Amino acid sequence: MSAGERLLGWYQGVVDEYRRLTPRSAALFVRGGGVLPGGDTRYSITTRPHPPYFDRGEGPHIWDVDGNRRLDLNNNSTALVHGHAHPEIVAAVRSQARSGTAWGGHNPIEVDWAQLICERVPSIERVRFANSGTEANMHMLKVARAFTGRDLVLKLDGAYHGTYDAFEFAATQDGRLAPSTGGVPANLSENIVLGAWGDTDGVTALIRENADRLAAVILTPFRSAGGFAHPPEGFLETLRAVTADEGVLLLFDEVISLRLAMGGAQDRYGVVPDMTALGKLIGGGLPVGAFGGRADIMAVTDPLGDMKVALAGTFNANPMTAAAGVAGLRLLTPEVHERIDHLGRGLREGLSAAVAERELPLRVEGGGSLLTLACDPEVTRPDVLMTGLSLAFGNRGVFGFPFVSTSSVMEEEHVEDVLKSAAAVFDQVAEAL
């Protein structure tokens, strides 16, 4: 039997066990297929043979509709930095709900929320709220273009900044630009320049070549697409210097990387952009987005001033999300940051050692409280290996691979449990390979 056949045999065994454990999830997926395209409304969480359906979460754990308890390392794509149903966040939401969930006017807690963000994130002197990370990046780019009077934006190939037409372009094999998804007008490529992550000299050259048309450079300062990773030494510092020299705005998408320090990756690395987009953890578990920057840039959105960009949104800074957001941010102290980083380091070191010991074609990447499990390029069926790993960990009570984040409600024993599960799963993979 070939290695490929053994791998498929292992995968089929994992799938069979998963089906045995999740019959109610399977039934819900079938029902969902009758009213949702592919049974899905969020493509990134749909898996074969069917996704798990969850109905309860508490602390670091979630329970699916079949009653299986799992340690949650996904944390709603890193958003739930305090795990599930944290008592202080629940109390804040309940208290606010009794007073009303939303109204067509300002609320006091949005000011507290904005003040917390401005105090923590070095680049943000003024902030505006939205309802998703996509909206935050979309609005941020619009403001950058209005402020500079230019249309062109430089992004890094493969980087994800939400489902927004202006960002959904990638390089083809022959070096052309093309939409990375259907429904995006091809002629929008006239306003995009693509650089490469970590290519300091190449991105610098692109900035200087296009400076007269370039409104902004946007990037995730901590790589999140294709695997979590710290920036190469000098990369961010050089981009900051060159954009400032050329009069181009530097935009950081910190929707994920805010959890790397009190003030996000820019705080951790000491590189301050002109504007920053936020999301995920600032909402305390509710839908959220925000963007901000220098006061003079953000002034283009001022409805009482020379408003060049009109931004509205029925649920922007709604009191429910504001209450959850304030409670969650106040819980996120320097000590908590140190704790989740420590837990993340333990997972990365333990998993890396387990992979190396078995000489598996896998890589453990990341930093802080974030890590990714990825396969090496020589793997012939990466889809089979990575889907199988995700299901195999799930079968053993661990949810979240391959994109993992720690939470403030995890303990050392949870890290030990994950590493025990990893040892068992990796032994099976090593035998199959």
Side-chain angles (χ1 to χ4, degrees), residues 13 28 53 101 113 116 143 182 200 203 255 268 275 287-288 376 430:
L28 279 168
Y53 284 70
T101 59
W113 197 20
L116 278 170
V143 168
T200 304
V203 176
V255 170
R268 183 168 184 142
M275 300 181 73
V288 71
D376 293 338

Side-chain angles (χ1 to χ4, degrees), residues 199-231:
D199 181 9
T200 304
D201 292 341
V203 176
T204 295
L206 287 172
I207 295 170
R208 296 206 186 279
E209 289 168 12
N210 296 281
D212 60 336
R213 292 186 54 220
L214 197 59
V217 175
I218 184 170
L219 71 153
T220 53
F222 176 86
R223 191 183 71 187
S224 55
F228 295 131
H230 289 297

